Amino acid sequence: MRFIISFLILMIMVLVTYYINKTSVLRSAGIKNGWIDLSNWDEENEIFTLDGEWRFYPEMLCGSETVSDSSRFVNVPESLGNSKDSLTNTAEFGTYEIQFKLRSPGHYMLCVPYISSAYRIYVNNEYIGGVGRVATNEKDEVGVLKPDNYLINADSTELNIKIEISNFTCVKGGITEDIYFGTVSNIYKYTTNKNINDILMVGILIGFGVFPLLILSKYNKGRSGYYFAGFCIASAVFAFLINHNIGGIHIFCLPIKIIVKAEFTTFIIMLMFIYAFIKSVYPYKRSKDRTNILICIDVIYIILIFVSGKKRMMNIVGNSYSVILLINAVFCIYIIIRAMPNKKIYALFSFSGIIIFLILGGLEIIALEMGGSIRFYLKDNFYNIGLLVFVLCHINIFLMDIDQAYLNASYADKMEISFLHAQIAPHFLFNTLNNLYVLMEMDLEKARKLLINLSDFLKVKYRFNYKDFDEYSLLDEVDFLKSYTAIENLRRGDKIRLSFDFEGVTMSSIRGETDILTKDMWFSRIKFQPMILQPLVENAIRHGFKSEVLEIVIHVKRAGEYLDFLIEDNGAGIPEFKVKMLNRSNSHGVGIPNINYRLSKYCDEKLVFESEEQKGTKIRFRYRMEEVK
């Protein structure tokens, strides 16, 4: 069921992403030599990505001027650092330009999701907006990350767009992501849908981050849950940082250096959390733990992020993140491969998630690095889809790990209960053998009867499996007590009177007297843990017998999904201070703590004692009602 739900979540995300991208048809402008003809453009349905060859003026800010010389052609989107032209490649500032031929004058919109530097936009040599402060030197530049839409009022079918940029502090200069052009309504529709898609992804990550914490509060499942939750929350923060619209970071106009450093730091924290999670889920014996090597690499990278202030250092940090990702992935894959012999299903599942994440993330990196020279459909969503696959794989691994731990705990409980049963068995058996030894010298006939009753007792006692009492019923426990009482009566001169009251149906302790009647009664199919009642009856006889007849009555009543038990006797009673100790579970014996432990494990209940000296004792408890299989 978990896998079906995971698959449905993934399909919903993919379908939503597909729908959002299909609400407005994205077309590649394919600009050639800084010129594009949109006279045949389907304005109602299409949005253009302004990719292709833009005219570029290196080391010139000429947005409000007409310049006819000193230009080059550069690919958009693409980093200036990837340009083969030496002057463009080293340009710290410059101006991009394209010419339009429109179908008709009107209102249009330019969407600039991301330019990693300060920029100004001019339409027909008139300034319409920008971000940060463009400058010709590093001291005066103010780089700010802020996505924005710009309204263009086209008075004619000829349109000239210039974008001045400066590139002193950013990691990669120039226009490195798509710029969109379309009608006002289509651009708003596209950007709104894109934000919904990003918010949905962040919401899923936060949900998957909170979920392990809720599981931890219920199952106390070690450190792996905290590591996985940390990875999901860090991924959500990273999504906020790189998707500037949904993060709302642009509202604060933070310097680009701070945003970029926060992005890289969060990215490394994500990698450290997922490595810690995988290591905790797939432990293995190793002579040399190489974890410290990876920690040193990641810590050194974080230090470089914080100390980098100059553009050159920021470029080193920015260009190294894919290498750091690959190193962390190699360490994770190494652990998974080492764990495969022990956890083949887990490891293969985890390995598949990592490979899919790396492939899709790698495709998005390639698409971004190569800019307009390579086109993938949904290229901006490869990382999100890969991350979702990765998270879904590992949330299932986390839950399977909990299931296994729960199963192991269940086995441990059964083994522990088996041990507790074994504690009681020798205690009673030794007492009976001592009694047999005495009777053999005093009364051979009674000794013979004792052996027969002991044989019947042991037949009932060893007919069930201590680890699994699914086939043991309350009626079996009644037969068990009849054999036990018969054994005790041989010692006590037939002065023990044990009877049962099942909501008006009464039975005595004489074996065989009502066997035919009780096999068809409601309590004959009730599952019951062996030796819950026997130690209570044994204590009533040992501590309550006063030489006269001892009456012990066991009342059983149905109360919804539970049975209410009352064991009462007319024996010697228990002193008040001992009653308080018993009700506080401070008994130091074997029988009572044993019963309380098993009751708490099975139905979260315990024994409640009431007693008056010389008047008798009452013991109450509730027991969850289930039928034997």
Side-chain angles (χ1 to χ4, degrees):
M1 179 59 71
R2 286 198 301 263
F3 298 107
I4 295 174
I5 293 173
S6 299
F7 180 77
L8 289 176
I9 291 173
L10 179 61
M11 287 300 100
I12 289 171
M13 185 66 186
V14 172
L15 289 174
V16 168
T17 303
Y18 178 79
Y19 170 77
I20 287 171
N21 282 270
K22 292 296 287 184
T23 51
S24 297
V25 179
L26 291 176
R27 284 190 58 186
S28 172
I31 302 169
K32 296 293 184 181
N33 300 325
W35 169 259
I36 178 174
D37 186 354
L38 300 181
S39 57
N40 296 320
W41 170 31
D42 181 3
E43 298 180 358
E44 296 298 322
N45 300 307
E46 293 178 342
I47 294 175
F48 275 95
T49 57
L50 300 181
D51 58 298
E53 293 179 343
W54 287 52
R55 192 178 294 275
F56 182 70
Y57 301 91
E59 305 293 331
M60 297 178 65
L61 299 178
C62 50
S64 59
E65 304 171 7
T66 302
V67 182
S68 59
D69 199 11
S70 303
S71 66
R72 271 88 168 150
F73 291 106
V74 296
N75 288 320
V76 171
E78 187 176 78
S79 169
L80 291 177
N82 292 335
S83 174
K84 296 179 180 179
D85 182 82
S86 60
L87 185 59
T88 301
N89 183 277
T90 58
E92 302 285 6
F93 59 94
T95 304
Y96 287 86
E97 181 185 29
I98 52 171
Q99 299 282 341
F100 283 82
K101 181 175 178 60
L102 300 173
R103 183 175 182 177
S104 61
H107 300 291
Y108 301 97
M109 184 159 282
L110 193 69
C111 173
V112 184
Y114 176 83
I115 292 181
S116 59
S117 57
Y119 66 89
R120 293 192 293 249
I121 298 177
Y122 295 82
V123 176
N124 293 337
N125 297 329
E126 291 186 8
Y127 174 75
I128 65 168
V131 169
R133 186 169 67 217
V134 178
T136 57
N137 59 78
E138 182 177 355
K139 181 180 178 181
D140 295 332
E141 182 192 69
V142 177
V144 176
L145 293 179
K146 181 183 178 184
D148 218 337
N149 296 330
Y150 300 94
L151 181 64
I152 296 176
N153 296 315
D155 297 329
S156 67
T157 58
E158 300 291 331
L159 201 64
N160 175 275
I161 296 180
K162 292 179 183 175
I163 302 178
E164 296 179 346
I165 63 108
S166 58
N167 180 35
F168 292 98
T169 57
C170 64
V171 176
K172 294 184 178 180
I175 302 175
T176 58
E177 293 194 17
D178 285 321
I179 294 177
Y180 304 99
F181 181 83
T183 62
V184 175
S185 60
N186 280 345
I187 290 293
Y188 272 129
K189 184 193 299 183
Y190 176 76
T191 54
T192 300
N193 289 340
K194 184 70 167 60
N195 290 339
I196 292 172
N197 182 59
D198 293 335
I199 290 171
L200 177 62
M201 184 63 193
V202 170
I204 290 174
L205 290 172
I206 292 175
F208 281 133
V210 172
F211 181 67
L213 298 179
L214 297 177
I215 292 291
L216 285 167
S217 65
K218 185 175 181 181
Y219 293 99
N220 192 27
K221 179 65 185 105
R223 295 181 178 179
S224 61
Y226 292 111
Y227 294 143
F228 188 78
F231 170 76
C232 290
I233 299 300
S235 298
V237 173
F238 184 67
F240 268 112
L241 291 170
I242 63 175
N243 298 302
H244 309 103
N245 266 329
I246 64 168
I249 298 173
H250 61 274
I251 297 174
F252 304 101
C253 294
L254 296 174
I256 189 172
K257 287 183 180 180
I258 294 177
I259 302 299
V260 171
K261 288 182 178 183
E263 287 179 5
F264 287 132
T265 303
T266 308
F267 177 74
I268 292 301
I269 291 173
M270 285 170 52
L271 298 181
M272 295 175 76
F273 269 126
I274 200 58
Y275 175 76
F277 170 75
I278 290 175
K279 186 181 174 185
S280 66
V281 172
Y282 303 110
Y284 66 91
K285 293 181 180 179
R286 47 201 179 272
S287 56
K288 293 183 179 180
D289 191 349
R290 295 175 175 81
T291 302
N292 292 334
I293 299 174
L294 183 63
I295 292 174
C296 288
I297 293 172
D298 289 342
V299 169
I300 290 171
Y301 189 76
I302 291 176
I303 293 172
L304 288 175
I305 292 171
F306 280 98
V307 301
S308 58
K310 300 292 183 180
K311 177 184 174 182
R312 183 175 299 175
M313 182 63 74
M314 290 294 289
N315 278 334
I316 293 173
V317 172
N319 291 326
S320 302
Y321 80 96
S322 55
V323 177
I324 298 297
L325 171 62
L326 183 61
I327 292 173
N328 279 265
V330 168
F331 271 80
C332 291
I333 291 171
Y334 173 74
I335 291 177
I336 293 170
I337 292 174
R338 288 292 300 267
M340 279 185 177
N342 298 324
K343 292 186 177 181
K344 292 183 179 179
I345 298 176
Y346 286 25
L348 185 60
F349 205 46
S350 184
F351 183 79
S352 301
I354 288 179
I355 294 300
I356 291 172
F357 180 41
L358 287 175
I359 291 173
L360 293 180
L363 287 175
E364 181 159 330
I365 291 173
I366 291 171
L368 291 174
E369 291 291 333
M370 299 188 69
S373 60
I374 187 168
R375 286 283 156 185
F376 292 132
Y377 186 65
L378 301 182
K379 72 179 181 67
D380 294 333
N381 295 284
F382 280 155
Y383 170 80
N384 283 347
I385 294 172
L387 178 61
L388 184 58
V389 171
F390 179 82
V391 169
L392 287 172
C393 285
H394 286 83
I395 196 72
N396 278 284
I397 291 169
F398 175 71
L399 293 175
M400 286 190 290
D401 205 35
I402 287 178
D403 288 344
Q404 187 62 46
Y406 182 79
L407 187 61
N408 292 341
S410 177
Y411 288 149
D413 281 346
K414 288 183 178 180
M415 292 177 66
E416 190 171 9
I417 289 172
S418 175
F419 171 72
L420 294 172
H421 277 297
Q423 281 184 298
I424 294 177
H427 172 74
F428 169 75
L429 187 58
F430 292 153
N431 284 345
T432 303
L433 291 175
N434 286 332
N435 292 337
L436 180 63
Y437 176 77
V438 173
L439 286 174
M440 287 178 67
E441 293 186 350
M442 298 175 57
D443 192 331
L444 288 176
E445 181 62 24
K446 283 187 176 182
R448 187 182 66 82
K449 290 181 180 180
L450 177 59
L451 278 173
I452 292 172
N453 282 293
L454 179 61
S455 175
D456 291 339
F457 175 85
L458 294 176
K459 282 179 184 178
V460 176
K461 183 178 185 304
Y462 290 107
R463 186 162 52 80
F464 57 86
N465 181 356
Y466 285 130
K467 297 179 183 179
D468 187 358
F469 54 93
D470 286 340
E471 297 294 334
Y472 191 81
S473 71
L474 183 55
L475 187 57
D476 290 322
E477 185 77 351
V478 170
D479 287 340
F480 190 54
L481 287 172
K482 286 180 180 181
S483 297
Y484 171 75
T485 306
I487 292 171
E488 286 295 331
N489 266 323
L490 289 170
R491 290 182 57 213
R492 312 285 181 176
D494 291 326
K495 291 185 178 181
I496 309 298
R497 299 288 183 266
L498 175 65
S499 60
F500 305 88
D501 177 10
F502 294 95
E503 294 184 339
V505 179
T506 58
M507 299 169 54
S508 73
S509 62
I510 300 175
R511 289 184 55 77
E513 193 174 86
T514 54
D515 286 353
I516 297 175
L517 173 67
T518 55
K519 285 180 181 179
D520 295 325
M521 301 304 293
W522 62 268
F523 50 85
S524 65
R525 296 289 300 168
I526 299 298
K527 184 167 71 172
F528 199 74
Q529 283 201 45
M531 297 188 76
I532 291 285
L533 296 176
Q534 186 273 336
L536 300 178
V537 172
E538 180 180 355
N539 281 343
I541 296 171
R542 287 180 61 199
H543 302 296
F545 187 72
K546 301 180 297 185
S547 74
E548 64 263 24
V549 173
L550 176 65
E551 297 280 353
I552 304 173
V553 183
I554 299 176
H555 303 271
V556 184
K557 291 184 179 180
R558 285 173 288 188
E561 297 180 352
Y562 288 85
L563 295 175
D564 284 337
F565 282 81
L566 169 62
I567 301 96
E568 59 178 344
D569 65 65
N570 63 346
I574 306 173
E576 184 178 354
F577 77 94
K578 285 188 177 180
V579 172
K580 292 180 178 179
M581 289 179 61
L582 290 168
N583 284 328
R584 289 198 298 265
S585 301
N586 287 337
S587 172
H588 298 293
V590 174
I592 301 303
N594 185 311
I595 295 170
N596 274 330
Y597 180 83
R598 287 186 287 144
L599 286 176
S600 67
K601 285 284 186 182
Y602 184 66
C603 52
D604 198 25
E605 295 289 337
K606 71 172 188 174
L607 302 172
V608 178
F609 291 83
E610 300 175 22
S611 186
E612 270 189 74
E613 290 190 78
Q614 306 306 319
K615 291 187 177 181
T617 300
K618 294 181 180 180
I619 305 173
R620 305 176 191 273
F621 67 91
R622 299 195 103 188
Y623 193 88
R624 190 172 72 245
M625 187 164 53
E626 295 181 72
E627 285 195 2
V628 294
K629 294 182 178 178

